Amino acid sequence: MFFGLFGKKDFRHYQNQGAKHLAAERYADARVDFQEALKLCPADASQEAAAIRQGLDQAGNHLGELNLQEGEHALRAGETQKAYDHFCLAADLAADPAIKSRAHAQAAKLEQPEAQAAAKPAEAPAGAGNYKPHGGGSCTTCKGHGDHHHEEPAPMEMSLSEEDQFYLMVQPLPGDLPGRYAELGPKFAKAYLMIHEGNDRDAFPILQEMLLSGENDIVLYEVALIMFRAGQIHESEALLNRALALNPQNATVYIALVHLMAGGGRYPQAKAVVQSMLDADILPDQAQFMLAELHETTGDVERAMELWTKSLDYPSVAKAAAERLIPILNRQGRTDDVKYLSKKYLKGCC
C-alpha cells in the first residue's frame, strides 16, 4: 500500500497500487497511480486500459465528492472564495456527470453578482489566509459549460498550484493527519510533493534537516519510506518504531510496519501489529481486512473468511471484502452465497 522499490515498474504495478490506495481511501494517491498506469499501458491492452480508467474515474469521483463537501462546509462558514475553488476542483476531478452537475450548479451560484459581493476578504475567519485559491479563483471548467466547444481539463499537476496539490493529496489521510501534515509548513510540503513525483533524492535532505530541529512522527514516517525504497530495511523499521513511540495513534505508521514485516515474510510480527491496531481501535475496518489478508497468505483460509465476513459490516471495505470472499466461496461450490454477495455488494459502481 505504501512501499515501492526502486527500478522499472510496468503499468500493472501502478494499477495495483492505485487499487490499494482506493481501498485505503487515499483517493488522491490512487488517482496519481492510475494516471501513471494509463500512461504506461500498452496500446493493444484495451481491457486493462478500461479497468484502469474505471479506477481513475472512481478516484476522481471520490475526490469530487470530498471537494463538494469541503465547498459546502466553507460556504456555511462564510468562506465564499474557498467554497468556489472547491466546487471548481470537484468539477475538474469527477467523472460522474451527476457530481459534475452539482459542482457546476454550486459554482454558478457563487458567480452571481450578489454572491461575489458577499466574498469580502476582510471578513475571512482566522486561518483562512493559509489557503491560496488556484488559478486566481477562475475555473474554466465551471464557467461556460454550456458551450459547444469542449476542452479536456488539464492534468491535476498542471492545473493546480503546488499548495493546492499538497492540500488535495493529504485530505484522504486518516484522522487528524491532514491538519498535522499542513501544519509542518511549506518546506515539508515541497518535500512531500517531491516524494510523490518519485524524487526521493532531493526530498531526503529537506526532511533530514527538519529532524535536526526535533523529531516528528510524520517526518520520521516519510523518511522511513524513503529508506525502505532505497533498500535500507532495518533503518526503515527503526524509524517507524521511533515514529510510533512518539505517536502511538498514527495509523499510517502501523500500516507501514505491517507491510514492511509482511514483505519480509515476518507474518507473526505483522499480525501482532495489526492486532495492536484493533486493540487500540485504530482504523478497525482496514485493520480487520489486513488481518484477513495475512491469514489467507499464511494458509488459514477459514480464519480469513471469518474476518472478511465481519468486514462486510464496514461500508468502507465491504465491497473489497466481498470481492475476496467470492472466489473462495466459488471454489467451495457455495453458489447461493456467491449470488447473495454479488447482488448486495457488487452491484453498480461505488
Side-chain angles (χ1 to χ4, degrees):
M1 186 178 298
F2 294 95
F3 294 136
L5 299 175
F6 285 136
K8 185 175 177 59
K9 303 178 180 70
D10 65 8
F11 76 93
R12 292 180 186 84
H13 167 83
Y14 292 102
Q15 185 179 5
N16 291 335
Q17 287 293 101
K20 289 177 181 178
H21 285 317
L22 265 185
E25 300 180 19
R26 293 172 62 97
Y27 304 123
D29 288 338
R31 186 174 185 268
V32 170
D33 282 321
F34 283 129
Q35 284 178 326
E36 188 65 22
L38 197 58
K39 188 191 306 181
L40 296 175
C41 189
D44 58 352
S46 57
Q47 288 186 335
E48 289 84 352
I52 293 168
R53 289 192 185 93
Q54 183 180 19
L56 187 59
D57 288 349
Q58 288 180 18
N61 289 338
H62 282 298
L63 289 170
E65 287 283 7
L66 286 171
N67 275 280
L68 274 174
Q69 293 169 17
E70 288 292 326
E72 289 161 0
H73 177 74
L75 199 56
R76 288 193 294 271
E79 300 177 79
T80 314
Q81 181 61 59
K82 184 176 179 179
Y84 179 79
D85 290 325
H86 276 295
F87 294 142
C88 290
L89 276 175
D92 276 339
L93 296 168
D96 186 338
I99 300 174
K100 282 185 173 291
S101 178
R102 285 165 56 200
H104 285 314
Q106 292 281 40
K109 290 178 187 176
L110 296 180
E111 289 169 0
Q112 296 171 4
E114 59 269 25
Q116 292 178 0
K120 298 178 181 179
E123 297 176 1
N130 294 330
Y131 180 86
K132 297 184 180 180
H134 72 285
S138 174
C139 176
T140 56
T141 59
C142 292
K143 296 181 180 180
H145 58 272
D147 294 347
H148 295 292
H149 178 64
H150 172 74
E151 291 183 4
E152 289 293 332
M156 182 178 69
E157 59 269 19
M158 295 299 293
S159 61
L160 302 183
S161 68
E162 288 189 354
E163 292 90 343
D164 283 345
Q165 287 182 53
F166 175 72
Y167 173 84
L168 183 62
M169 293 179 81
V170 301
Q171 290 313 295
L173 292 171
D176 63 352
L177 286 176
R180 293 189 61 222
Y181 268 64
E183 288 169 0
L184 289 173
K187 184 182 293 187
F188 174 80
K190 180 180 179 181
Y192 189 79
L193 290 175
M194 286 177 177
I195 290 169
H196 283 264
E197 291 167 358
N199 187 3
D200 285 350
R201 184 185 301 275
D202 290 335
F204 184 69
I206 297 175
L207 298 178
Q208 274 193 315
E209 183 181 348
M210 292 183 70
L211 288 176
L212 293 176
S213 303
E215 290 200 336
N216 176 284
D217 58 302
I218 292 174
V219 180
L220 285 168
Y221 164 78
E222 295 295 341
V223 174
L225 298 191
I226 292 176
M227 299 295 278
F228 185 93
R229 289 190 291 268
Q232 299 183 43
I233 309 302
H234 296 300
E235 293 85 347
S236 176
E237 183 176 351
L239 288 165
L240 290 172
N241 283 322
R242 280 164 58 189
L244 204 57
L246 281 174
N247 182 7
Q249 298 298 310
N250 190 326
T252 58
V253 178
Y254 280 101
I255 296 173
L257 274 170
V258 172
H259 282 267
L260 183 149
M261 292 172 177
R266 297 160 59 192
Y267 297 111
Q269 294 95 320
K271 290 176 184 177
V273 174
V274 178
Q275 191 59 53
S276 297
M277 293 178 68
L278 290 169
D279 293 342
D281 198 32
I282 295 172
L283 297 184
D285 53 346
Q286 294 183 43
Q288 187 166 266
F289 191 93
M290 286 191 298
L291 190 56
E293 286 186 311
L294 290 168
H295 278 289
E296 184 194 41
T297 301
T298 54
D300 191 350
V301 177
E302 290 302 316
R303 178 60 175 153
M305 290 182 68
E306 179 186 340
L307 290 165
W308 277 323
T309 300
K310 291 181 180 179
S311 293
L312 297 173
D313 294 332
Y314 292 103
S316 57
V317 295
K319 181 180 178 183
E323 289 174 339
R324 303 301 292 269
L325 284 167
I326 285 173
I328 300 172
L329 294 169
N330 263 325
R331 291 195 296 270
Q332 295 177 350
R334 296 166 60 178
T335 54
D336 288 342
D337 290 334
V338 169
K339 289 177 182 177
Y340 171 78
L341 290 179
S342 298
K343 183 177 181 181
K344 184 170 182 179
Y345 297 103
L346 305 186
K347 56 182 180 181
C349 289
C350 62

